[in-house]
Amino acid sequence: MGGRKDPDGAYGTPQKYDPKFKGPIYDRGCTDVACCILLVLAIVGYVVVGIVAWTHGDPRKVIYPTDSRGQFCGHQGTANEDKPFLFYFDIVKCASPLVLLEFQCPTTQICVSKCPDRYMTYLGAYLVPADLQYYRQFCVPEFGDLSKAPIEVLKDKECPAMLIPSTPLARRCLPAIQAKKGVIMVGNETTYDDGRGSRRNVTELLEGAKKANVVLEMRQLAMKIFEDYTVSWYWIIIGLVIAMVASLIFIVLLRFLAGIMVWVMIVLVILVLGYGIFHCYMEYAKLKGEAGSDVSLTDLGFQTDLRVYLHLRQTWLAFMIILCVVEVVIILLLIFLRKRILIAIALIKEASRAVGHIMMSLLFPLCTFFLLCLCIAYWASTAVFLSTSNEAVYKVFNESACQFSGQTCSPEKFNTSNVTKLCPDAQCLFAFYGGETAYHKYLIILQFFNVFMFFWLANFVIALGQVTLAGAFASYYWAFKKPDDMPAFPLFSAFGRALRYHTGSLAFGSLILAIVQVIRVTLEYLDHRLKAADNKFAKFLLSCLKCCFWCLEKFIKFLNRNAYIMIAVYGTNFCTSARNAFFLLMRNIIRVAVLDKVTDFLFFLGKLLIVGSVGILAFFFFTQRIKLVQDTAPPLNYYWVPILTVIVGSYLIAHGFFSVYGMCVDTLFLCFCEDLERNDGSPERPYYMSPELSAILLKGTLEPSKSADSQG
């Protein structure tokens, strides 16, 4: 009765009738103990790495700006607590290429309480006591001799030669440059006195500020995104709650009205995509003739403010084409799969009955989600602490040619070293955070181990959820009288069996998947590094490897999922379960194509419906296009931040609910294939499947299998 002829037994021996088999085996033993021990040792090592990282790391290095001595500006409990801003003695020197190489300006930097608000030179301020007192707050902290000759002060770099009106940007004091009628000005002047007796053009300040800003742009972007989250987080939560309620209502309705809900879902997906096409066309037509709307996306380039793209006709044309392609593909698939959809609906109805008898299964994804959040939080915090566990490194910075330029130095011993004698204008400034100890040399390995353990533990958590749900739904299928023959607490029983007996098998399967995923991450990193290279063969080889490992990851996920079902039912080790699951699927390959993938397609449409509906609602709300709540929408730097967050969160929530149905369908399908091999439907060997399921599945799937058998 298999899905294909297998006379030579190439795909294993079909299961035989066993009157004692009643579903998930309770008398089982521990499997893959070596992998269980390996997982425990790896977790212990992971905890040790976390402790070491938390001991040496300091996240303040990411948050606060650092002066030339490696001290934090504005951090509470330090001498610079009341000085939150970083001030550059000579911002023009930030135009040096060293900024891009060392991520540090070759000029003295100090922490100040406020940025200068007036133009002033030290030579001019020295003659006016009140100005000199104001000027002093922008000198190095140990400067106190106000009677010292100005030439000596500037030579010793104790004070800046000039002050320029500045504004704080990402806690850095940058020149308050203005553009009036196309002319670059600072304080209504196009030139300025550099404090050394010469006039310089303001454009030099602009160039220095730009180079200094190279290091700050990403941080400034992150700060704006963080600000958007602070003003919109409660609206994001409301959007996610709406997605959760919509998913729950959909799943509950699917429980009682599976057939109707599937067709309603199909129609709504087509309508939602149709409305998207119509909206894109209306926006495209509305922009016709407007100034700047015909600029191409390539000419515009990348912009952090995505609202700019919405003023281009080409953007809406691209959206419309993409939606049209998706709409046509879905409609064609529905036309060709119309008969198979009826069979898939029968399987979904049976899954709905199974979920109805095990309602706690709908809440189980919350447990998996919580454990995944713990994995993500531990990985992220460990990564931050590892990346900030370096020590302050000081280097020699020099304006003119110097043989010691770029070498490490010590601020305490620098003034008494030979460097100042051979290079009089050299300075020992804070460059970056690094280190030369054994711990610092192996930081990259610890980061790699951190990434690997994250993938391993995340895959283990997902595997634990899958084998638990599989055990619960298998107990439903193999109950001859449903639900009377089912155990009292099938979900908790399956969870206990998984942890007690099969931790090693779950660790084995998740380890294989984690290795492949780490290789994929490494290939992506190499691809990113080779983008600037001109080696076409290396790029081609890398693309082939990325494609192969992507396919391998998908195959391993599919095989693991079915192996976990066999583990939940029979209690065998991972390799045996994977082999048996693969052979069982190959013996029923026609049914796999007919049923399993069609139901996956229907569940994908359900996720698409929920995500699309909530995403459209979020778009209209955050762009203030809903008149009833137009005034309640928060002001944002980038409105795509909350919209994308809601869309991604909605997908994860919908995926969590639908994953229960997906695992239920996969489990029932594998049990159905086993049932066909073990039993023949006679009174002596009756099927365990429900009469409703057998009426459609046997009629819908045995016919093609018989034709395949006859051809074989």
Side-chain angles (χ1 to χ4, degrees):
M1 289 188 182
R4 59 175 292 169
K5 190 78 172 175
D6 185 24
D8 300 327
Y11 299 116
T13 305
Q15 295 289 342
K16 296 182 179 180
Y17 174 69
D18 183 2
K20 297 181 180 179
F21 181 74
K22 302 293 182 182
I25 297 173
Y26 292 91
D27 185 15
R28 58 179 73 193
C30 296
T31 56
D32 298 307
V33 178
C35 287
C36 180
I37 296 173
L38 182 62
L39 176 64
V40 172
L41 293 176
I43 292 176
V44 172
Y46 198 22
V47 172
V48 171
V49 170
I51 293 173
V52 171
W54 296 336
T55 303
H56 293 81
D58 190 354
R60 295 178 302 175
K61 298 172 184 176
V62 179
I63 302 172
Y64 299 98
T66 310
D67 66 9
S68 297
R69 301 182 181 183
Q71 299 174 335
F72 302 117
C73 297
H75 186 255
Q76 294 184 353
T78 64
N80 296 325
E81 180 177 359
D82 298 327
K83 300 177 179 179
F85 305 113
L86 186 68
F87 173 73
Y88 300 89
F89 268 30
D90 190 354
I91 192 70
V92 175
K93 293 180 181 178
C94 292
S96 167
L98 283 174
V99 175
L100 301 178
L101 296 175
E102 303 287 355
F103 288 97
Q104 181 72 308
C105 293
T107 184
T108 305
Q109 301 159 47
I110 62 171
C111 299
V112 295
S113 57
K114 62 179 181 179
C115 297
D117 57 5
R118 65 196 74 171
Y119 176 79
M120 192 178 294
T121 64
Y122 187 78
L123 294 175
Y126 182 76
L127 304 175
V128 183
D131 291 346
L132 184 59
Q133 194 63 35
Y134 173 82
Y135 209 101
R136 185 177 179 274
Q137 62 183 315
F138 301 103
C139 300
V140 294
E142 59 270 17
F143 174 70
D145 188 5
L146 299 180
S147 60
K148 189 175 181 179
I151 300 300
E152 295 295 324
V153 172
L154 298 179
K155 180 182 178 182
D156 295 337
K157 294 182 172 58
E158 294 178 309
C159 292
M162 60 180 175
L163 298 180
I164 296 174
S166 305
T167 55
L169 175 64
R171 296 194 179 191
R172 272 84 172 171
C173 294
L174 298 179
I177 298 173
Q178 302 172 336
K180 295 183 178 180
K181 296 181 180 180
V183 180
I184 305 298
M185 309 176 73
V186 172
N188 296 323
E189 296 288 339
T190 57
T191 59
Y192 67 97
D193 188 342
D194 65 356
R196 297 179 176 87
S198 60
R199 303 288 297 181
R200 304 179 72 169
N201 198 297
V202 170
T203 53
E204 296 183 46
L205 286 176
L206 179 63
E207 188 64 25
K210 281 182 178 179
K211 286 293 179 67
N213 201 39
V214 167
V215 188
L216 308 178
E217 282 183 352
M218 293 308 298
R219 181 174 293 182
Q220 183 68 11
L221 176 63
M223 290 177 64
K224 287 185 177 181
I225 292 175
F226 180 75
E227 289 175 2
D228 287 342
Y229 277 125
T230 58
V231 298
S232 63
W233 64 268
Y234 46 91
W235 293 110
I236 293 175
I237 292 176
I238 291 174
L240 297 180
V241 169
I242 292 174
M244 185 175 67
V245 172
S247 301
L248 188 59
I249 292 174
F250 193 92
I251 291 295
V252 171
L253 290 176
L254 201 61
R255 162 68 181 88
F256 299 102
L257 305 168
I260 297 175
M261 286 302 298
V262 169
W263 289 112
V264 168
M265 173 184 68
I266 292 172
V267 173
L268 287 178
V269 167
I270 294 174
L271 290 177
V272 168
L273 289 174
Y275 173 77
I277 295 170
F278 170 76
H279 182 77
C280 291
Y281 174 76
M282 294 301 295
E283 293 289 341
Y284 175 78
K286 188 171 67 174
L287 290 173
K288 185 177 181 180
E290 290 193 11
S293 62
D294 292 325
V295 177
S296 66
L297 293 173
T298 54
D299 292 338
L300 182 63
F302 175 74
Q303 302 291 328
T304 55
D305 188 357
L306 298 186
R307 286 174 292 190
V308 175
Y309 296 106
L310 299 183
H311 294 286
L312 302 180
R313 299 187 74 208
Q314 198 174 90
T315 302
W316 293 105
L317 180 62
F319 286 158
M320 185 169 61
I321 293 174
I322 293 171
L323 291 177
C324 286
V325 171
V326 174
E327 180 93 319
V328 171
V329 168
I330 290 177
I331 291 175
L332 290 177
L333 285 174
L334 291 173
I335 292 173
F336 287 110
L337 298 175
R338 62 189 183 279
K339 293 183 179 179
R340 306 306 182 191
I341 289 175
L342 295 175
I343 302 174
I345 288 175
L347 198 56
I348 293 175
K349 286 182 177 179
E350 187 66 19
S352 298
R353 283 189 283 270
V355 172
H357 292 304
I358 313 174
M359 289 299 291
M360 284 297 295
S361 61
L362 290 176
L363 300 178
F364 189 76
L366 297 178
C367 176
T368 303
F369 180 73
F370 174 73
L371 293 176
L372 283 176
C373 287
L374 288 182
C375 293
I376 294 172
Y378 189 87
W379 163 76
S381 59
T382 303
V384 170
F385 276 91
L386 281 174
S387 61
T388 58
S389 59
N390 293 310
E391 299 173 347
V393 174
Y394 299 86
K395 287 194 173 185
V396 177
F397 289 91
N398 200 70
E399 298 178 41
S400 57
C402 177
Q403 59 180 328
F404 300 102
S405 182
Q407 295 184 5
T408 56
C409 58
S410 173
E412 293 80 11
K413 303 177 181 179
F414 184 74
N415 291 331
T416 58
S417 64
N418 292 330
V419 179
T420 54
K421 298 177 182 178
L422 298 175
C423 306
D425 57 347
Q427 298 181 78
C428 183
L429 303 178
F430 167 78
F432 55 87
Y433 288 102
E436 298 180 354
T437 64
Y439 169 73
H440 295 104
K441 289 180 179 178
Y442 291 106
L443 268 179
I444 185 66
I445 297 178
L446 296 180
Q447 285 283 25
F448 182 84
F449 179 72
N450 183 35
V451 173
F452 171 74
M453 284 303 300
F454 166 71
F455 281 122
W456 193 3
L457 292 178
N459 289 324
F460 178 83
V461 169
I462 294 172
L464 180 61
Q466 289 177 343
V467 78
T468 300
L469 291 173
F473 293 128
S475 66
Y476 164 82
Y477 185 93
W478 293 108
F480 191 74
K481 294 181 180 179
K482 302 175 177 59
D484 298 336
D485 293 345
M486 290 175 59
F489 301 101
L491 194 68
F492 294 108
S493 299
F495 184 74
R497 289 195 301 270
L499 279 182
R500 181 179 178 183
Y501 298 111
H502 306 302
T503 300
S505 297
L506 302 182
F508 192 6
S510 54
L511 174 63
I512 296 172
L513 185 56
I515 292 173
V516 175
Q517 289 173 333
V518 167
I519 293 174
R520 284 197 63 202
V521 170
T522 305
L523 291 175
E524 291 291 344
Y525 173 75
L526 292 176
D527 184 44
H528 178 73
R529 295 296 298 268
L530 288 174
K531 277 185 178 179
D534 197 25
N535 192 330
K536 294 183 179 180
F537 175 76
K539 290 182 178 180
F540 172 76
L541 182 62
L542 204 57
S543 299
C544 293
L545 289 173
K546 286 167 60 178
C547 179
C548 291
F549 277 97
W550 180 84
C551 295
L552 181 61
E553 181 185 358
K554 295 298 179 184
F555 174 74
I556 290 176
K557 282 184 176 180
F558 173 76
L559 189 62
N560 282 8
R561 186 181 180 90
N562 290 282
Y564 296 146
I565 296 174
M566 302 300 278
I567 289 172
V569 176
Y570 293 102
T572 51
N573 61 49
F574 177 79
C575 291
T576 302
S577 300
R579 184 182 66 249
N580 292 340
F582 179 74
F583 286 164
L584 180 61
L585 292 172
M586 291 304 297
R587 292 196 298 269
N588 296 271
I589 191 64
I590 293 178
R591 297 190 182 101
V592 173
V594 170
L595 295 177
D596 205 35
K597 296 304 139 191
V598 175
T599 52
D600 287 345
F601 172 67
L602 294 178
F603 287 145
F604 170 74
L605 291 183
K607 298 175 193 176
L608 193 64
L609 175 62
I610 292 173
V611 173
S613 302
V614 177
I616 290 173
L617 180 63
F619 173 77
F620 280 104
F621 175 77
F622 287 111
T623 55
Q624 300 179 349
R625 300 192 182 194
I626 303 177
K627 293 183 179 180
L628 293 176
V629 291
Q630 191 171 12
D631 297 333
T632 58
L636 300 167
N637 295 304
Y638 311 117
Y639 67 79
W640 52 265
V641 171
I643 293 175
L644 286 181
T645 305
V646 169
I647 289 175
V648 173
S650 299
Y651 177 80
L652 293 176
I653 291 171
H655 179 72
F657 281 101
F658 278 94
S659 65
V660 175
Y661 263 83
M663 199 66 202
C664 184
V665 167
D666 288 347
T667 304
L668 295 181
F669 175 71
L670 226 59
C671 292
F672 165 76
C673 295
E674 286 261 350
D675 197 6
L676 288 180
E677 293 185 349
R678 289 179 175 275
N679 306 297
D680 57 9
S682 64
E684 295 79 17
R685 296 165 58 184
Y687 290 129
Y688 278 81
M689 69 187 78
S690 65
E692 297 86 358
L693 190 65
S694 62
I696 296 183
L697 287 188
L698 293 181
K699 179 182 177 182
T701 61
L702 281 180
E703 290 176 358
S705 69
K706 285 180 181 178
S707 63
D709 289 347
S710 62
Q711 291 172 3

